[in-house]
Amino acid sequence: MDFRFTPEAQQIQQEAIEFTRKEWEPGKWDTQILVNWHHQVDEAEEAVNEFEKKLVNKGWWTMHWPSEFGGQDASIEVQLAYREAMSYAGAPASLGGGLVAPVLMLAAPKWMQDEFLPGIASADLEFSQGFSEPDAGSDLGSLKTRAVRDGDDYLISGQKIWGTYRNPWIHILVRTDPDAPKHRGITYLLAPLKDADGEFMPGVQVRKIPDALGRHRWDELFMENWRVPARYILGEENRGWYTAMTTLSFERSNIQAPATMQRQIEEYIAFVRELKATRGFSPLDDAPFRNQMANLRIEIETLRMIAYRVGWMQSRGEIPQKESSMSKLWADVQYQKTMKTLARGLQEYGNLLPTQEGIDMPNEGFLNNRAFMSGTLSVAGGTTEVQRQIIAQRGLGLPR
Ligand SMILES: Cc1cc2nc3c(=O)[nH]c(=O)nc-3n(C[C@H](O)[C@H](O)[C@H](O)COP(=O)(O)OP(=O)(O)OC[C@H]3O[C@@H](n4cnc5c(N)ncnc54)[C@H](O)[C@@H]3O)c2cc1C
């Protein structure tokens, strides 16, 4: 068995490590996905965008895109090695295009590709996501937001939730045929959320959702007779469910999770060693705690191997299903366990949050912030129960 990357992948991994050392100051913003510190803070968004532009200039932002769309056809292995390095460095972004670019490439007419892909490729255009609704999360196919045809437009009414609707455009799933079986009456659209002055379009209202610490993280979107040009359909009317599920062979191993955790453990060890020097105590004095740290290290390494397996399957043209669910599930549960263990190691100091201004917080309180907010990982992007269902059914052949 040979677990090493190809020389090409090793080279880009090394280059990415060196690049981030120069171009990104770790710790400037806490970039851990979903427990990030910078959600909806303008200054942080600008710092992230500035970094994305550097990736554009370097040619990395769209390296995974097909060459006919200006990319470099980077192999899955190269994408994985690169992304691992970026995540380990705590970089806030790595590859551009999200869910929208692949769908544009596969399901949109040329004029639409020409209208949107250049902006995505230069990191000037980002889309908000309009999928989840208050009563359509795990069972997304039961979404109710209604789009009624009116001449060349749709009039859209309904509610979306759990997005950050600050971008000028949104990619959104709407119900266009209420009488069809639920997955067959959905249409996938790109829609302008804001006008040229940055104001929300008539019929659109956004309400903030505070997180458990009272900070602004997510939003709810209310739509009432919001007029959207029908020409911005992705794929065909009423076939949106199938269009939205389209994926190009972009890497989706979830390698970010073990790489980030590994880095955070290393930072923690450096931090508590300093603590010993300045305050005279360290959780590392405690043998059972050291054992727990060793266990975390093994578990994170296991997760890394699962992520590699997903990438390896993709590189062979296979479609990882239960393996992707295993990677997502283990990553979420492991992140929660890791952050709670590290925070507990600091005893009462680990319980301090960054909101407690004026108090001397170890590691600026990020640790407990991460531990506290990591609970959301069990829900975002597909709940742990749903991942377990997939593993049970597709991995073990158990009945529904
Ligand atoms: C922090 C955060 C960020 C999010 N970001 C986004 C985003 O960017 N874009 C977006 O569109 N959505 C986003 N979401 C929404 C997220 O995708 C949904 O919350 C998630 O899919 C669960 O849906 P729900 O909240 O409706 O819960 P429900 O689906 O109602 O689930 C409630 C409970 O029932 C369980 N359950 C449901 N179905 C089954 C089943 N078949 N078998 C066993 N148990 C089941 C669930 O596991 C859960 O415990 C985000 C959510 C959170 C919390």
Side-chain angles (χ1 to χ4, degrees):
M1 256 186 286
D2 187 349
F3 280 71
R4 279 171 304 182
F5 287 129
T6 58
E8 189 196 0
Q10 283 178 32
Q11 189 188 331
I12 191 143
Q13 194 167 53
Q14 197 51 42
E15 272 183 51
I17 290 167
E18 282 158 23
F19 176 82
T20 47
R21 266 192 210 127
K22 273 196 279 172
E23 303 292 354
W24 182 252
E25 185 191 330
K28 186 173 181 193
W29 304 103
D30 184 355
T31 53
Q32 173 58 36
I33 189 163
L34 286 178
V35 288
N36 55 2
W37 194 230
H38 66 257
H39 244 67
Q40 310 241 24
V41 176
D42 286 342
E43 196 190 339
E45 297 282 344
E46 280 158 25
V48 171
N49 192 241
E50 201 181 298
F51 183 76
E52 289 168 352
K53 295 272 187 191
K54 289 178 183 169
L55 299 181
V56 171
N57 291 338
K58 192 87 184 136
W60 286 346
W61 186 239
T62 54
M63 69 157 96
H64 56 315
W65 289 19
S67 47
E68 62 178 298
F69 295 106
Q72 297 166 34
D73 296 310
S75 69
I76 296 288
E77 199 172 334
V78 163
Q79 293 174 42
L80 192 149
Y82 162 76
R83 217 199 270 269
E84 184 174 30
M86 299 300 269
S87 303
Y88 179 75
S94 51
L95 297 168
L99 295 176
V100 176
V103 177
L104 275 166
M105 291 173 199
L106 287 172
K110 180 152 186 330
W111 68 263
M112 243 172 120
Q113 294 171 345
D114 291 344
E115 184 168 339
F116 294 108
L117 286 175
I120 300 174
S122 60
D124 290 309
L125 177 61
E126 250 191 88
F127 289 81
S128 293
Q129 188 187 28
F131 283 18
S132 293
E133 297 182 3
D135 292 320
S138 303
D139 185 15
L140 185 59
S142 62
L143 62 90
K144 293 195 189 74
T145 292
R146 187 80 171 91
V148 179
R149 193 69 186 242
D150 183 42
D152 290 338
D153 301 325
Y154 286 114
L155 292 177
I156 300 182
S157 301
Q159 186 188 346
K160 296 285 176 183
I161 192 167
W162 296 123
T164 50
Y165 309 109
R166 50 187 290 147
N167 296 308
W169 284 80
I170 187 169
H171 61 124
I172 186 167
L173 289 171
V174 292
R175 186 159 299 284
T176 33
D177 183 352
D179 300 322
K182 63 181 182 182
H183 292 105
R184 301 226 183 109
I186 294 172
T187 297
Y188 193 16
L189 282 171
L190 299 184
L193 263 183
K194 294 181 176 172
D195 63 21
D197 298 325
E199 300 296 325
F200 284 112
M201 292 290 189
V204 170
Q205 261 193 1
V206 170
R207 198 162 69 194
K208 296 175 184 178
I209 305 177
D211 74 8
L213 298 174
R215 298 168 304 185
H216 177 201
R217 299 177 78 84
W218 295 283
D219 298 314
E220 283 176 291
L221 172 68
F222 298 89
M223 299 151 281
E224 201 178 340
N225 288 326
W226 167 36
R227 188 169 283 280
V228 170
R231 67 177 184 280
Y232 287 124
I233 289 183
L234 285 165
E236 291 169 44
E237 191 176 59
N238 294 326
R239 301 284 301 165
W241 179 262
Y242 308 98
T243 312
M245 297 301 129
T246 306
T247 48
L248 271 184
S249 59
F250 292 170
E251 182 270 326
R252 52 191 174 91
S253 65
N254 211 6
I255 189 66
Q256 305 91 297
T260 306
M261 277 184 252
Q262 177 58 30
R263 176 60 172 260
Q264 291 182 353
I265 286 201
E266 287 169 17
E267 282 175 359
Y268 180 82
I269 291 173
F271 165 71
V272 293
R273 285 204 165 122
E274 218 175 280
L275 199 68
K276 174 86 178 168
T278 55
R279 299 193 196 191
F281 88 94
S282 160
L284 300 179
D285 296 340
D286 182 38
F289 185 75
R290 292 199 299 273
N291 288 347
Q292 286 176 33
M293 294 284 282
N295 281 340
L296 292 179
R297 183 69 189 85
I298 296 166
E299 288 157 3
I300 291 167
E301 190 61 18
T302 311
L303 174 61
R304 193 158 78 102
M305 291 301 125
I306 296 175
Y308 277 7
R309 176 153 182 230
V310 172
W312 177 73
M313 287 178 73
Q314 280 192 281
S315 70
R316 290 159 55 98
E318 295 171 28
I319 298 173
Q321 287 182 329
K322 64 177 187 299
E323 293 81 3
S324 292
S325 288
M326 285 160 77
S327 186
K328 153 107 176 86
L329 172 71
W330 189 301
D332 297 346
V333 172
Q334 187 64 40
Y335 193 81
Q336 291 163 351
K337 182 176 172 186
T338 302
M339 292 307 132
K340 280 180 187 145
T341 305
L342 300 187
R344 250 186 246 127
L346 287 169
Q347 299 174 22
E348 66 271 28
Y349 292 101
N351 292 330
L352 296 173
L353 286 161
T355 43
Q356 292 164 289
E357 275 170 30
I359 298 177
D360 182 17
M361 293 159 291
N363 209 10
E364 295 175 32
F366 275 141
L367 199 56
N368 194 33
N369 177 57
R370 289 171 183 154
F372 190 71
M373 295 307 292
S374 65
T376 61
L377 293 172
S378 307
V379 180
T383 69
T384 44
E385 288 79 11
V386 169
Q387 307 308 327
R388 285 198 177 97
Q389 294 262 3
I390 295 170
I391 297 163
Q393 285 162 22
R394 301 202 183 143
L396 296 169
L398 297 179
R400 272 172 178 268

